[in-house]
């Protein structure tokens, strides 16, 4: 178990990334003629900002739309609608959502996404040198082979890899080391924003802690901004300044990490928090078992999407969509009863 500690309050800068009403709908096609019979609303109107140097944690059960959101931000896929403002180093703002291919190529080096399974995202036929050098070559950042090798060595030592292993292949490394290779590769073009999608979820807890520490060190050293995606709240707590909770394509809560953990305002967050292991063995948490599955984003329930699973649901929840509102300063939630409910946070939260 990761030791729970309150995230260090850091100085954060100006807004680096701003999502406005972002949507990604996947068409559902049927039959030979591929008639569109509906849409999977994987991301359905998400808005938030991330400041320079900040770590924004994004959580929610599998299927809530986190990966789709991350892929839209790095424009691995094009969003259906909405805006993704990103500030370039020279201060210019671009909308990644609609940027034409040519200009996209110019700005791609500023953001990068790392994935859960470093093995499947690292080409097994490429040496570590070539894997880390690829973004340098693709972005034409250096041309002389010697300069590229020097830069790769530098990156390897930055992430704690042995530079002697330059010519080895991914299979020769452990899961944690492979994730380090993925991180070195992502750092190669000096990005400003890194989207970490379940980057430590597949690793043993002790290795998880090492990678999280590494990411924090790199953030301080290179002034990186992270969107840190995980289904596990305990991982996010350790590293995030603020946390957003997603359910069926929408944000349901957003707050400072401390505030969200100690005083959740949405019943879904309360249930997720009840599964977070406590560091104090004396404290026994009553885990809230959510009935049923995450709602189907192609056919979500009426009213509050969470109502079929919510222990506090009233009649209004079945018919009316709850409004997104600021329940207390900088703490937002979308629940009809956010002001009234006495929800349980993590007992030993700061
Ligand atoms: N390429 C795709 N085509 C159709 N549906 C998709 C595609 N990618 C994701 N989805 C659907 O979008 C929803 C959200 O998925 P995802 O973003 O992977 O969620 P998470 O990362 O939170 O588990 C799921 O219902 C998933 O099946
Ligand atoms: S609006 Fe109703 S169903 Fe939705 S989370 Fe709040 S109490 Fe539960
Ligand atoms: Mg995912």
């Amino acid at each position: 178990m990761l030791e729970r500690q309150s995230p260090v309050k850091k100085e954060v800068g100006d807004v680096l990334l701003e999502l406005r009403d972002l949507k990604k709908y996947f068409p559902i096609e049927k039959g030979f003629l591929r008639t569109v019979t509906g849409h999977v609303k994987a991301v359905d109107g998400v808005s938030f900002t991330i400041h320079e140097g900040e770590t924004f944690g994004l959580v929610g059960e599998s299927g809530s739309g986190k990966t789709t959101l991350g892929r839209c931000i790095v424009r691995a896929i094009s969003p259906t609608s909405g805006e993704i403002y990103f500030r370039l180093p020279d201060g210019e703002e671009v909308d990644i959502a609609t940027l034409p291919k040519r200009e996209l190529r110019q700005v791609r080096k500023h953001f990068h996404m790392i994935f859960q399974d470093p093995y499947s995202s690292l080409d097994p036929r490429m040496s570590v040198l070539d894997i880390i050098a690829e973004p340098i070559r693709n972005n034409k950042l250096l041309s002389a082979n010697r300069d590229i090798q020097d830069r790769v060595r530098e990156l390897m030592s930055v992430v704690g890899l042995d530079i002697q292993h330059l010519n080895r292949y991914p299979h020769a490394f452990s899961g944690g080391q492979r994730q380090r290779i993925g991180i070195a590769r992502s750092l190669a073009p000096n990005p400003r924003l890194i989207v970490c999608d379940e980057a430590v979820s597949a690793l043993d807890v002790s290795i998880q802690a090492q990678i999280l520490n590494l990411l924090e060190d790199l953030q301080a050293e290179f002034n990186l901004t992270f969107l840190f995606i995980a289904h596990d709240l305990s991982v996010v707590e350790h590293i995030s300044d603020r946390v957003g909770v997603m359910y069926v394509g929408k944000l349901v809560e957003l707050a400072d990490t401390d505030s969200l953990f100690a005083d959740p305002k949405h019943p879904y967050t309360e249930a997720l928090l009840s599964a977070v292991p406590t560091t104090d063995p004396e404290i026994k948490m009553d885990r809230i078992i959510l009935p049923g599955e995450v709602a189907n984003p192609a056919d979500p329930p009426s009213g509050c999407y969470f109502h079929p699973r919510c222990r506090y649901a009233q009649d209004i929840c079945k018919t009316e969509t709850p409004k997104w509102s600021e329940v207390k300063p900088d703490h937002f939630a979308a629940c009809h009863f956010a002001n009234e409910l006495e929800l349980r946070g993590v007992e030993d939260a700061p």
Side-chain angles (χ1 to χ4, degrees):
M1 188 190 315
L2 294 172
E3 196 174 324
R4 180 168 302 121
Q5 54 185 53
S6 128
V8 185
K9 285 271 171 237
K10 331 176 258 220
E11 286 296 315
V12 294
D14 296 338
V15 171
L16 178 70
L17 182 80
E18 178 169 2
L19 309 189
R20 286 195 206 150
D21 203 20
L22 190 72
K23 295 181 183 168
K24 179 64 190 180
Y25 295 177
F26 295 107
I28 303 167
E29 295 165 343
K30 289 260 160 68
F32 181 65
L33 295 173
R34 308 187 62 167
T35 319
V36 175
T37 56
H39 287 92
V40 178
K41 298 179 176 179
V43 176
D44 197 12
V46 171
S47 304
F48 62 81
T49 56
I50 306 183
H51 293 253
E52 201 168 56
E54 188 181 31
T55 299
F56 187 98
L58 188 66
V59 299
E61 287 163 287
S62 174
S64 52
K66 308 179 299 294
T67 296
T68 303
L69 184 86
R71 295 181 72 212
C72 287
I73 291 172
V74 300
R75 243 322 257 289
I77 51 176
S78 296
T80 305
S81 67
E83 287 127 66
I84 306 171
Y85 287 106
F86 183 79
R87 202 160 42 78
L88 298 174
D90 65 5
E92 190 200 344
E93 259 188 22
V94 291
D95 179 7
I96 301 174
T98 54
L99 212 59
K101 275 221 168 71
R102 206 143 151 246
E103 286 155 57
L104 195 59
R105 217 173 296 138
Q106 304 293 318
V107 304
R108 263 201 195 288
K109 59 176 178 285
H110 300 300
F111 42 83
H112 191 91
M113 187 154 171
I114 24 186
F115 297 93
Q116 164 164 10
D117 180 1
Y119 200 53
S120 65
S121 55
L122 303 179
D123 187 334
R125 293 156 306 178
M126 282 167 77
S127 67
V128 176
L129 169 65
D130 288 332
I131 289 170
I132 301 175
E134 193 174 51
I136 304 174
R137 293 191 174 118
N138 286 351
N139 289 295
K140 299 187 173 60
L141 301 174
L142 296 168
S143 49
N145 270 334
R146 242 193 48 204
D147 294 343
I148 293 176
Q149 279 216 17
D150 287 348
R151 175 75 174 136
V152 170
R153 283 204 184 86
E154 182 191 347
L155 288 161
M156 286 179 77
S157 57
V158 159
V159 301
L161 287 167
D162 186 342
I163 56 169
Q164 307 292 334
H165 297 162
L166 195 70
N167 292 311
R168 292 197 181 175
Y169 290 83
H171 65 82
F173 295 88
S174 68
Q177 285 171 324
R178 284 200 292 262
Q179 200 51 285
R180 286 174 198 265
I181 298 171
I183 294 168
R185 176 184 157 90
S186 75
L187 291 175
N190 279 321
R192 318 193 77 201
L193 173 75
I194 298 186
V195 177
C196 304
D197 188 10
E198 309 272 7
V200 300
S201 303
L203 304 173
D204 288 347
V205 175
S206 62
I207 311 290
Q208 267 188 7
Q210 289 172 17
I211 298 291
L212 290 174
N213 288 337
L214 171 67
L215 289 170
E216 280 178 321
D217 292 346
L218 294 172
Q219 177 168 56
E221 196 172 340
F222 302 111
N223 190 30
L224 295 169
T225 304
F226 290 134
L227 173 60
F228 198 88
I229 296 173
H231 61 273
D232 184 344
L233 264 166
S234 52
V235 169
V236 165
E237 179 184 21
H238 179 87
I239 193 164
S240 305
D241 301 292
R242 283 187 303 146
V243 175
V245 180
M246 252 182 116
Y247 189 71
V248 196
K250 293 180 188 293
L251 271 189
V252 296
E253 184 159 5
L254 169 63
D256 271 1
T257 308
D258 292 355
S259 187
L260 187 112
F261 274 73
D263 189 19
K265 293 295 179 194
H266 195 284
Y268 182 56
T269 311
E270 180 190 48
L272 294 181
L273 283 174
S274 76
V276 172
T278 49
T279 39
D280 184 348
E282 293 293 303
I283 299 172
K284 242 185 85 218
M285 295 288 287
D286 294 321
R287 181 152 179 192
I288 301 166
I289 306 290
L290 287 174
E293 303 271 307
V294 178
N296 177 1
D299 184 23
S302 58
C304 172
Y305 288 0
F306 188 55
H307 88 254
R309 307 173 80 191
C310 181
R311 43 155 78 187
Y312 309 103
Q314 307 282 326
D315 283 344
I316 184 180
C317 305
K318 295 180 193 150
T319 53
E320 279 182 40
T321 306
K323 285 198 180 65
W324 180 249
S325 64
E326 192 165 12
V327 187
K328 53 187 221 188
D330 297 321
H331 193 142
F332 301 82
C335 167
H336 291 302
F337 304 102
N339 283 308
E340 285 115 87
L341 293 172
E342 294 270 345
L343 302 179
R344 204 178 59 204
V346 173
E347 314 274 334
D348 58 348

